[in-house]
Amino acid sequence: MADEKMAIAKAINESLRKALETDPKVLVMGEDVGKLGGVFRVTDGLQKDFGEARVIDTPLAESGIVGTAIGLALRGYRPVVEIQFDGFVFPAYDQIVTQLAKMHARALGKVKLPVVIRIPYGGGIGAVEHHSESPEALFAHVAGLKVVSPSNAADAYWMMQQAIACDDPVIYFEPKRRYWDKGEVDTTAIPAPLHSARVVREGGDVTLAAYGPMVKTCLEAAAAAEEEGKSLEVVDMRSMSPIDFDTLQASVVKTRRLVVVHEAPVFLGTGAEVAARITERCFYHLEAPVLRVGGFHAPYPPARLEEDYLPGLDRVLDAVDRALAF
Amino acid sequence: MADEKMAIAKAINESLRKALETDPKVLVMGEDVGKLGGVFRVTDGLQKDFGEARVIDTPLAESGIVGTAIGLALRGYRPVVEIQFDGFVFPAYDQIVTQLAKMHARALGKVKLPVVIRIPYGGGIGAVEHHSESPEALFAHVAGLKVVSPSNAADAYWMMQQAIACDDPVIYFEPKRRYWDKGEVDTTAIPAPLHSARVVREGGDVTLAAYGPMVKTCLEAAAAAEEEGKSLEVVDMRSMSPIDFDTLQASVVKTRRLVVVHEAPVFLGTGAEVAARITERCFYHLEAPVLRVGGFHAPYPPARLEEDYLPGLDRVLDAVDRALAF
Amino acid sequence: MSVKSTAARSSRGGAKRRGAAAGREPELVQLLTPEGDRVQHSEYSIDLTPDELRGLYRDMVLTRRFDAEAITLQRQGELGLWASLLGQEAAQIGSGRATRSDDYVFPTYREHGVAWCRGVDPLNLLGMFRGVNNGGWDPNENNFHLYTIVIGSQALHATGYAMGVAKDGADSAVIAYFGDGASSQGDVAEAFTFAAVYNAPVVFFCQNNQWAISEPTERQTRVPIYQRAAGFGFPGVRVDGNDVLACLAVTRAALERARRGEGPMLVEAFTYRMGAHTTSDDATRYRTADERAEWEAKDPIARLQAYLTKEGLADDEFYAALDAESEALAKRVRDGVRAMPNPDPMAIFENVYADGHALVDEERAQFAAYQASFADGEGH
Amino acid sequence: MSVKSTAARSSRGGAKRRGAAAGREPELVQLLTPEGDRVQHSEYSIDLTPDELRGLYRDMVLTRRFDAEAITLQRQGELGLWASLLGQEAAQIGSGRATRSDDYVFPTYREHGVAWCRGVDPLNLLGMFRGVNNGGWDPNENNFHLYTIVIGSQALHATGYAMGVAKDGADSAVIAYFGDGASSQGDVAEAFTFAAVYNAPVVFFCQNNQWAISEPTERQTRVPIYQRAAGFGFPGVRVDGNDVLACLAVTRAALERARRGEGPMLVEAFTYRMGAHTTSDDATRYRTADERAEWEAKDPIARLQAYLTKEGLADDEFYAALDAESEALAKRVRDGVRAMPNPDPMAIFENVYADGHALVDEERAQFAAYQASFADGEGH
Ligand SMILES: Cc1ncc(C[n+]2csc(CCOP(=O)(O)OP(=O)(O)O)c2C)c(N)n1
Ligand SMILES: Cc1ncc(C[n+]2csc(CCOP(=O)(O)OP(=O)(O)O)c2C)c(N)n1
Ligand SMILES: [Mg+2]
Ligand SMILES: [Mg+2]
């Protein structure tokens, strides 16, 4: 089925379905992923078609979910684990950081940990506390993990295929507020490498770098800026560990200005690393310091304040103006 | 007892003793903190003098330790919690991030969480896995927490006093390999503010910024560089959340070059934030990009490789040379 | 010599993979049958005045009315979400009324009935569901902690608080609420361990409403939850969670026990979540109408009403007055919610820290300037 | 109607704050007394050939000799640390010999005796204690997982692995080792829950050696640890951990049970850590010589030796040969450790990922260049 228009949630669903079909070792596990199909319906219909042995409703215990997934991986399975919401990954953090991330190295390469952890993340859906967070930096800092986030349906499909095929643990952050955004998905295409960034809009004045839900925001900002006569290049980073600095560098060498945008708090967010490293790589090219737009150093606010908290088009354009003013 | 020469471990012990004496609400809790006095003897003698109700050996469960400390704080106590080693804080990460850090804000300020979490951290002691890590960035990224680390005995004493007095949760990272380093401790002095950085050596060519165990390394590097005719300024950051950017900025405006040094992995380490923000603040002053020296993106290696893994004098000086070469 | 293994007995003696609970139901403490008849129990008894009985009835009715109004408000877009307690009124009112004012309560996100008993204004509960705050009351005002969303966390807070109560030499008790799903969380097990080891005056009150979103209780355990306590060294008991008298009696006994310094206890209130998990959930995807109907017959309010009627303890006047009171409450809640102002955006930066933080100050100032730039017409 | 509360019984019936364990000891499965006499047990029995009995003796003696050598090597600076199993030989050899080669074992950091039974070269165990690696063997070679230092984590790995075994329709079993201290970790409780819910073929083998570093078992629980299992719906049993026959019999039965698809079981081996926690620890700070002396009388090796002697199953020749074998093992270990090369610094960057990672590649290259700069005489 080449070139079908699909929502991101559906694309992930199709990708999981494909993986379950193709490889009998693939498992889907998590809270409510079975009959309910997950609270976002991303696993809808999978248990019906593949049975309770492959699509597993787990007890309500995230450390247990990841810990048993590690055991299953050691037995040769390839578990795809769902964490119901971003804010509920922390009970599993110990298993992820001290076990999942390090076990391959601990074993001098003798065991592999092909575990995918799916985390619907980010805000903008009017939810209560713990349902709108962007903790990606807390995973990207940790060696042994790979961290990615798709921004569109085609990437959602293909990056999930690649994450499952990868012999390393991959934290797959799903931009939950974009779940219903539709896009073409060519399921016969040859996808770009999992950890490559992609220039999704070309421009000459300033580069915007983003991933996941903020790519759309940046594209909108670029469209708005065009009306003001500013030409913005938008890079979809796609991967937060590793980060494709070559693609970012190439863009910055051209535009000489960079603004990094993410929902996560700015302080020690992934933008800090991009700023530090791109400044090192492009010291003589930059006309302005790398600027960052993101969340504040504050708990994610109640829903009625999230529009103020989240980086929107205006905050992005404000940063663009500041970058251009240097 | 003004101006006594004390090891860092002893200074913390004295500071805890003082707090237990002064405020009946102060508690010390953790694994083996009682009769044993902790595996590093930092709580030596405290249970003997203050009893089992104030100095509490806990079950072996870090989430339980922090979770019950939160409850005790809600009841009006001021628990000082010990996590035995850096690598064992992760089972408590959920309680720290989703509860301890956010509860004051969740309650719109109606409750306070004066909990100190002591974590002996960093490498250099020839230990086995999980006993040599530097996870400070994983806490500094989280709003609601304050994160500090002393580099010398006087700071160890006073910063602990201040951390206990603070009505916010403070993660107090203890440079375990410097526990036995002695320094003057004036217990009658007026200490600098908890979150202020301090210029510990003045110089004109390059600024070195560090905290905890790396301050000593940087001072040694500065002494070595002096012999080569280079004048390095060393800033002891002391606090990783908040970071005293004013002091760093003042130094960089003078030296025009900055190298940040920490044991933690460079990628998304606190140095990334320093680099990003100082570049923004000092864009026209910097003669070179902010360079970073730290751990690699790899699990902390076995003991016989840690000298290679850890930033030492040579790696610091190498970065200084690279900064000067720009 | 014989093996001391109670487990060997209980499990080998018939536990099936899909849970003993489904097969041989263990007995549960009941003082009022679904038909509204009073029964006696050897260990737990209760003697209430007609006023008290009517009071419990009133509590349940008002709580249910409030809950229904909240659902309506959610449907109307006034709330972002609501977690209904429908069906759990007896468990919550019974246990809530068992607490003393100096006791301390740690709820989940569904304890609206307990909040009611503690004197928390229902309007305050709605703030977080409307999205104007993450917890809008002062916990110390009514000794009722904020709602906790991360499953199981509060069990540890309750235990720590109880350790503090014991340290203070006070004779207050603490009660921690959680659900059947929560029983799987490591934090709850650790709370059991700390409570037992320090003999903390805490009652663990588990409302087993048969479901954790779409997962039935057998996804969490294969033996009844109350039996979990024994292995940690304290008693557990299952009570009919739709029987407000039994819930009151058992919880009161457990709290008294804690006060006497006898340590923690686990109460499993066997009840049913009549509604969906929250207003975002569609329960028809995973459970049958039959199951719901079965529990409908055990309704906690109907059963107390039957008893009041049989005993002649409430007349039409009482019911009419309560109806009016219910509607007045609903109206107050409706009007109150609609009048709730959106918070000032600058509130984002408030209360992040108690003692201030330079970065928050900096970001607050930057954001204020940014906001001002629009007012000045300088923005985009 | 009576309250179904086994806990109420066990706890109210006398549990004191400082633990029932200290007072009324529960009975434990024993097949060989400290004096070396065989006793029968109604549920667990074992019938071994003289060769097998001598084999168990040999395993324990060699393990102890190896352990002693490791302590010496640590004192000599050849190892950074050592976690001695002294006193726990019976628990480890008994349970280890109960496993089948296709079973899978998840150890803590102290299971040197189990490793021995699995055929792991003792030298390989020393790598991490010497600091040349973080776990130097291929887990799949002997179905013996790497040592796990984060307390309790491996209980979940074992459970997941066992879930996989069941999925595969294999009749292998899995065994997870952990200590009395670990019983407090949430991960262990979650492992119990998952194992029970999925009926996983896993045996939880808890060596209660009375201490978690300086904390006695009553800091972790106020009832015997084996009783924890019942509340999760599977059997628990306490076995004399210094009785190699009982450990073998009970573990074998538990593993067979798992193979038959009857699900998990908890075995608590009641034993004693005769040495300090590790070579870094000073046990005299927190426990008495008397206590140690008391356990000395229950020594697992002495008791089997007494039996062998009484029954005439081993002669001087056997003991002399074993002595020689012990010394040969010690020498091989000593020489082997001393010959262990330091790893190449570039190993830091190896095996961080299975499929590569751009940042690791970059840092590897930078580090190589940096290292080379010294060789070139360009460094400081
Ligand atoms: C740690 C964590 N994981 C997942 C969730 C998402 N979640 C919210 S409620 C719920 C089910 C809770 O079930 P139960 O404990 O039985 O309480 P009930 O909702 O039935 O009252 C889940 C999985 C959460 N809030 N916290
Ligand atoms: C999560 C975690 N917390 C703390 C430690 C430090 N630590 C290492 S061993 C130990 C005691 C373990 O006791 P137990 O489980 O009884 O095993 P034993 O050492 O007695 O064999 C502690 C606290 C750790 N390794 N992991
Ligand atoms: Mg429930
Ligand atoms: Mg132990």
Side-chain angles (χ1 to χ4, degrees), chain B residues 269-323:
Chain B
T270 52
E273 185 62 38
V274 172
R277 214 165 280 252
I278 288 298
T279 305
E280 196 176 335
R281 288 191 179 210
C282 309
F283 190 65
Y284 294 118
H285 290 97
L286 283 168
E287 302 280 356
V290 178
L291 298 182
R292 296 172 291 163
V293 180
F296 302 112
H297 192 69
Y300 195 89
R304 301 231 169 187
L305 290 180
E306 70 180 341
E307 287 306 318
D308 294 297
Y309 180 92
L310 288 169
L313 193 143
D314 286 327
R315 285 210 356 244
V316 173
L317 292 178
D318 178 67
V320 165
D321 287 349
R322 282 187 288 123

Side-chain angles (χ1 to χ4, degrees), chain D residues 323-366:
Chain D
D323 257 2
E325 192 181 2
S326 294
E327 291 317 309
L329 172 65
K331 181 170 184 332
R332 185 169 77 78
V333 164
R334 198 158 53 234
D335 295 346
V337 163
R338 294 203 171 120
M340 266 186 201
N342 281 350
D344 177 348
M346 297 314 290
I348 290 172
F349 306 95
E350 296 316 308
N351 300 310
V352 182
Y353 295 89
D355 284 354
H357 190 280
L359 177 59
V360 175
D361 295 341
E362 186 181 323
E363 290 188 345
R364 183 195 293 109
Q366 284 167 352

Side-chain angles (χ1 to χ4, degrees), chain C residues 113-165:
Chain C
V114 185
W116 171 264
C117 296
R118 300 299 301 178
V120 177
D121 187 334
L123 259 179
N124 283 344
L125 302 178
L126 299 179
M128 66 174 266
F129 291 100
R130 184 170 169 85
V132 301
N133 59 46
N134 285 326
W137 59 92
D138 180 347
N140 294 315
E141 213 164 89
N142 305 86
N143 282 10
F144 184 78
H145 191 66
L146 299 168
Y147 278 179
T148 297
I149 291 176
V150 179
I151 301 292
S153 294
Q154 74 281 3
L156 281 168
H157 310 155
T159 301
Y161 194 96
M163 287 163 62
V165 167

Side-chain angles (χ1 to χ4, degrees), chain C residues 122-298:
Chain C
L123 259 179
N124 283 344
L125 302 178
L126 299 179
M128 66 174 266
F129 291 100
R130 184 170 169 85
V132 301
N133 59 46
N134 285 326
W137 59 92
D138 180 347
N140 294 315
E141 213 164 89
N142 305 86
N143 282 10
F144 184 78
H145 191 66
L146 299 168
Y147 278 179
T148 297
I149 291 176
V150 179
I151 301 292
S153 294
Q154 74 281 3
L156 281 168
H157 310 155
T159 301
Y161 194 96
M163 287 163 62
V165 167
K167 274 183 209 307
D168 294 345
D171 79 335
S172 313
V174 179
I175 183 165
Y177 287 84
F178 58 87
D180 45 296
S183 70
S184 294
Q185 284 286 359
D187 271 10
V188 170
E190 295 190 8
F192 286 4
T193 284
F194 277 70
V197 164
Y198 298 113
N199 205 45
V202 57
V203 173
F204 297 107
F205 194 90
C206 176
Q207 286 169 83
N208 177 355
N209 63 7
Q210 313 302 323
W211 293 94
I213 309 186
S214 73
E215 301 194 0
T217 309
E218 54 263 41
R219 279 289 91 176
Q220 315 294 340
T221 180
R222 60 191 226 180
V223 289
I225 291 170
Y226 77 90
Q227 293 179 3
R228 186 71 51 90
F232 291 85
F234 56 90
V237 60
R238 177 180 279 188
V239 60
D240 182 341
N242 286 15
D243 171 353
V244 69
L245 302 186
C247 288
L248 175 55
V250 168
T251 312
R252 192 179 270 171
L255 289 166
E256 284 303 330
R257 193 178 168 282
R259 281 186 226 300
R260 287 195 304 271
E262 293 172 32
M265 182 159 162
L266 170 63
V267 177
E268 177 191 5
F270 204 71
T271 180
Y272 193 73
R273 196 193 77 206
M274 295 298 291
H277 171 68
T278 64
T279 48
S280 298
D281 181 39
D282 172 8
T284 64
R285 289 178 72 99
Y286 52 81
R287 66 185 196 185
T288 63
D290 283 3
E291 182 184 292
R292 197 182 180 286
E294 199 181 297
W295 280 90
E296 192 106 43
K298 303 181 195 165

Side-chain angles (χ1 to χ4, degrees), chain A residues 57 63-64 75 77 106 145 168, chain D residues 135 157 168 187 190 198 353-354:
Chain A
D57 274 329
S63 189
R75 180 72 191 180
Y77 286 87
R106 186 180 301 148
L145 304 176
D168 294 306
Chain D
H157 310 156
D168 294 344
D187 271 11
E190 295 189 8
Y198 299 113
Y353 295 89

Side-chain angles (χ1 to χ4, degrees), chain C residues 55-67:
Chain C
L56 292 173
Y57 181 80
R58 172 178 169 272
D59 289 337
M60 292 199 289
V61 167
L62 292 177
T63 299
R64 182 172 288 186
R65 183 63 190 89
F66 162 68
D67 189 75

Side-chain angles (χ1 to χ4, degrees), chain A residues 94, chain B residues 31-32 39 60-62 65 83-85 87-91 129-131, chain D residues 83-84 88 92 108-111 148-153 178-185 206-215 217 220 225 273 276-278:
Chain A
D94 175 56
Chain B
E31 296 158 8
D32 305 296
V39 295
L60 210 175
E62 286 77 8
I65 296 170
I83 297 292
Q84 201 162 77
F85 282 91
F88 307 137
V89 70
F90 300 114
E129 203 186 351
H130 311 292
H131 290 70
Chain D
S84 165
Q88 300 178 218
Q92 296 197 11
T108 71
Y109 42 81
R110 206 189 286 285
E111 266 65 79
T148 296
I149 291 177
V150 179
I151 301 293
S153 294
F178 57 86
D180 44 295
S183 70
S184 295
Q185 283 287 0
C206 175
Q207 285 169 83
N208 177 354
N209 63 7
Q210 314 301 324
W211 293 93
I213 308 187
S214 74
E215 300 193 359
T217 309
Q220 316 294 340
I225 291 170
R273 196 194 78 206
H277 171 68
T278 64

